[in-house]
Amino acid sequence: MVEIGTGYFVELEREKAKAIFDRKKEHIAKQIETVEGILKEKRRTRAYISDAFQTKVQAQLATMNTASN
């Protein structure tokens, strides 16, 4: 018995079942590659935003220090 979809099972020969699992494995591998690419972009964006934020905080602190002296 092989699950071919959400709750759908069929009885298949071993070779056909293996082919289904191989296709599922390839699909999952492609999805992993896609998610990894998105994750890299999100990390890059987060680093950019964090750097910009730190720059603005440092500028604000410098302005506050200058005004208090």
Side-chain angles (χ1 to χ4, degrees), residues 10-63:
V10 293
E11 193 170 325
L12 295 174
E13 297 173 0
R14 184 177 298 232
E15 290 303 314
K16 289 183 180 181
K18 183 181 180 314
I20 287 175
F21 287 122
D22 288 342
R23 284 194 305 271
K24 284 184 177 185
K25 188 169 113 177
E26 288 176 26
H27 176 72
I28 290 170
K30 288 178 184 176
Q31 292 298 314
I32 288 171
E33 288 177 17
T34 300
V35 170
E36 285 176 340
I38 292 169
L39 183 59
K40 285 180 185 178
E41 184 61 32
K42 297 279 185 186
R43 284 182 177 154
R44 200 173 309 133
T45 301
R46 185 191 65 178
Y48 174 77
I49 291 170
S50 179
D51 289 345
F53 178 74
Q54 287 297 325
T55 301
K56 288 185 181 216
V57 167
Q58 292 299 324
Q60 185 68 30
L61 289 174
T63 302

